[in-house]
Amino acid sequence: MGVGEGSIFFVGRCVRVVRNKLVVLFGGGGFVGRYVAQALLAAGARVRVAQRDPRAAVFLKPLGGLGQTQFVAVDVRKPETVARALAGADMAVNLVGAFANMDALHVDGARHIAEAARDSGVQALVHVSAIGADPESASAYGRTKGEGEAAVRAAFPDATILRPSLVFGREDAFTNRFASMIAKAPMVPVLRAGTRFQPVYVKDVADAVVRALEAPAVAAGRVLELGGPDVLTMRAIQDYLAHEVGRSPAMLELPDGVGAMIASMGFLPGAPITSDQWTMLQRDNVVASAEDGFAALGIVPTAMASVAGAWLVRYRRHGRFAKRATA
């Protein structure tokens, strides 16, 4: 459910239109960032993509009109570069996330962005976090995401915090990675087969960012969790991917002891999972019923099965002419 060019929608008493506003996207050249940029450009915003190597994001330039897209080099660990990126901006979005240097990026970087946004007088800030963000989390990813949220809230109380579940899309590192594995292997090991996810389409996340910026009466100061229409176990996701690429490998559900041993070797090149990711898999990654962000923002989320076939076709033996597995 897209936002549409120059759209105005009323999901609350007050609507802030992004047309002609300058929106700074920190991490805008990444997987989610490219879709947020497209949604903002379609809505008529001017977009300034801010990341360490802006050359990696120049592919976004043709998507906007003349002068609609800008690029700036930023290291979110250095507050002076963040402040320069926000000069003259109307709104800001923080999309920075990684599985390395997490304290520096998720906590310090988030704080620097929120403080600079406050000091520069931007109208709105959207901070994209993750379901499972919790300062008390056993995983470094969940802990740093939670501490980052707290830092943002302290510096910019009206910021909107969005927590998506597992994000999927054409360029993702999840469906593509496992579909590729399934297409090549006669047997696929499945870790934490019963862990539940609520996969969310990247375009829906992008629309949620735009709507959060445009509707402060609904989104400002809130934490909104984003999940798709289906709750799926890890095993169910693997079975779906196998069906979609027309393969039927044996699915081997590994005991937790074996999974933990594999995760302990996550520092090795090519290892399928890190120990921190293993820790994250111990908890379901689904939306709390009281925090359904898509419903609050008036967005109907997209099911994985309705769109993923468009890119998973590349993993079939004969491409789009192949038959899906029937078993």
Side-chain angles (χ1 to χ4, degrees):
M1 182 174 178
V3 175
E5 184 173 357
S7 64
I8 302 177
F9 46 85
F10 297 90
V11 290
R13 292 179 293 101
C14 176
V15 174
R16 179 192 290 124
V17 182
V18 300
R19 174 175 286 280
N20 296 323
K21 301 288 187 179
L22 176 57
V23 184
V24 179
L25 292 186
F26 291 93
F31 167 50
V32 176
R34 68 181 61 199
Y35 287 92
V36 176
Q38 290 178 69
L40 286 167
L41 291 169
R46 292 178 294 131
V47 176
R48 180 181 291 162
V49 179
Q51 59 185 57
R52 292 191 67 180
D53 183 5
R55 293 172 299 180
V58 293
F59 66 89
L60 294 169
K61 191 170 185 178
L63 302 178
L66 183 63
Q68 195 179 2
T69 312
Q70 307 171 14
F71 302 89
V72 61
V74 168
D75 183 342
V76 297
R77 298 170 297 181
K78 299 177 180 178
E80 65 277 10
T81 70
V82 175
R84 285 197 296 267
L86 285 167
D90 299 298
M91 302 173 180
V93 179
N94 181 17
L95 299 163
V96 176
F99 287 103
N101 300 319
M102 289 182 277
D103 282 286
L105 298 176
H106 296 167
V107 185
D108 297 337
R111 179 184 300 108
H112 296 156
I113 291 170
E115 290 176 347
R118 175 198 63 204
D119 296 342
S120 64
V122 302
Q123 300 170 16
L125 170 64
V126 173
H127 176 77
V128 179
S129 182
I131 287 180
D134 182 353
E136 303 300 321
S137 174
S139 77
Y141 188 86
R143 174 186 60 78
T144 55
K145 281 292 188 179
E147 292 177 356
E149 289 184 3
V152 168
R153 185 67 73 219
F156 200 112
D158 284 340
T160 300
I161 295 172
L162 300 180
R163 292 177 177 172
S165 182
L166 176 69
V167 182
F168 68 89
R170 182 176 296 274
E171 304 87 356
D172 71 38
F174 183 81
T175 64
N176 286 292
R177 177 182 182 182
F178 284 103
S180 177
M181 182 188 305
I182 289 168
K184 298 173 182 176
M187 182 174 64
V188 175
V190 182
L191 299 171
R192 295 292 296 172
T195 299
R196 300 185 306 152
F197 299 86
Q198 202 167 343
V200 56
Y201 190 30
V202 64
K203 288 186 178 180
D204 294 336
V205 175
D207 285 353
V209 170
V210 176
R211 294 200 173 189
L213 291 172
E214 293 206 316
V218 170
R222 295 184 64 183
V223 175
L224 300 174
E225 297 196 337
L226 306 177
D230 302 315
V231 175
L232 303 170
T233 64
M234 178 65 83
R235 172 60 191 270
I237 293 173
Q238 302 302 323
D239 287 339
Y240 162 71
L241 294 173
H243 171 78
E244 199 59 56
V245 303
R247 305 298 177 95
S248 53
M251 295 290 181
L252 179 61
E253 297 186 10
L254 297 180
D256 279 358
V258 175
M261 181 179 66
I262 293 173
S264 70
M265 297 184 291
F267 62 90
L268 297 174
I273 190 172
T274 68
S275 59
D276 198 62
Q277 290 169 333
W278 173 256
T279 301
M280 292 166 62
L281 282 175
Q282 307 310 303
R283 296 181 60 181
D284 290 338
N285 195 273
V286 298
V287 171
S289 59
E291 298 175 329
D292 188 345
F294 282 135
L297 296 170
I299 296 172
V300 178
T302 305
M304 181 186 290
S306 69
V307 292
W311 64 85
L312 294 175
V313 64
R314 76 187 80 170
Y315 300 107
R316 298 178 196 161
R317 283 192 178 91
H318 304 291
R320 64 183 63 257
F321 301 103
K323 294 182 179 179
R324 295 181 176 87
T326 57

